[in-house]
Amino acid sequence: MSFFGKILEKLGFKTAKAEPAPAPAPKAPPPRVAPAPSAPPPPPPPPPPPPPKPIEVVDVVAQLEKLAAANPQKLNWKVSIVDLLKLLDIDSSFAARKELATELGCPAELMGDSARMNMWLHKTVLKKIADNGGNVPKELLD
């Protein structure tokens, strides 16, 4: 599982499961009629595809606020990637953050400066959580 996948899993996002295809409807036997000299009728159109499933919205804010309230440390997940990872009980070491930044495509010029990498990483993680159906407040995404 990817590092970011662990974050989504800890927040309660369900991984997409392939659903079995619906069984085809039984075909009625064709009516018996005398053969006609005309061309055979066209085949029936295929059934319409199933409607797309909406993204399940996960109440990320409520979950993180609940975790923060229960944690004895004063962790501010809204501004700190380290605090966010700690709340989720995920390794927040520099090496782990660097791995996550690499996975998410952090620009090379930010990787050498831990403060700038952390700021980029925090914004990117929150944006990707929102992209996956998390209710991240807009002010945290700007």
Side-chain angles (χ1 to χ4, degrees):
M1 174 181 291
S2 71
F3 198 115
F4 183 70
K6 290 177 194 174
I7 294 171
L8 291 179
E9 182 181 33
K10 292 276 188 168
L11 288 170
F13 288 85
K14 294 184 174 51
T15 54
K17 294 180 182 174
E19 297 215 2
K27 294 183 180 182
R32 295 183 183 218
V33 285
S38 64
K53 285 191 169 188
I55 293 177
E56 179 183 342
V57 175
V58 173
D59 194 352
V60 174
V61 173
Q63 288 186 28
L64 292 172
E65 291 295 334
K66 182 179 174 184
L67 290 171
N71 196 303
Q73 296 177 310
K74 287 237 177 223
L75 300 174
N76 189 353
W77 64 270
K78 292 180 180 179
V79 297
S80 169
I81 187 66
V82 173
D83 287 0
L84 176 61
L85 295 173
K86 283 181 179 182
L87 273 181
L88 296 173
D89 197 26
I90 297 175
D91 183 5
S92 63
S93 68
F94 178 69
R97 285 179 279 127
K98 203 161 189 170
E99 178 187 337
L100 179 58
T102 300
E103 178 184 321
L104 298 179
C106 182
E109 65 270 10
L110 300 180
M111 295 292 279
D113 181 343
S114 65
R116 290 177 60 206
M117 180 189 77
N118 285 346
M119 290 187 302
W120 179 91
L121 191 55
H122 187 259
K123 292 284 186 194
T124 302
V125 166
L126 291 178
K127 174 151 181 14
K128 289 199 169 282
I129 289 171
D131 291 347
N132 280 279
N135 69 331
V136 179
K138 199 170 208 162
E139 61 271 11
L140 296 179
L141 298 175
D142 296 332

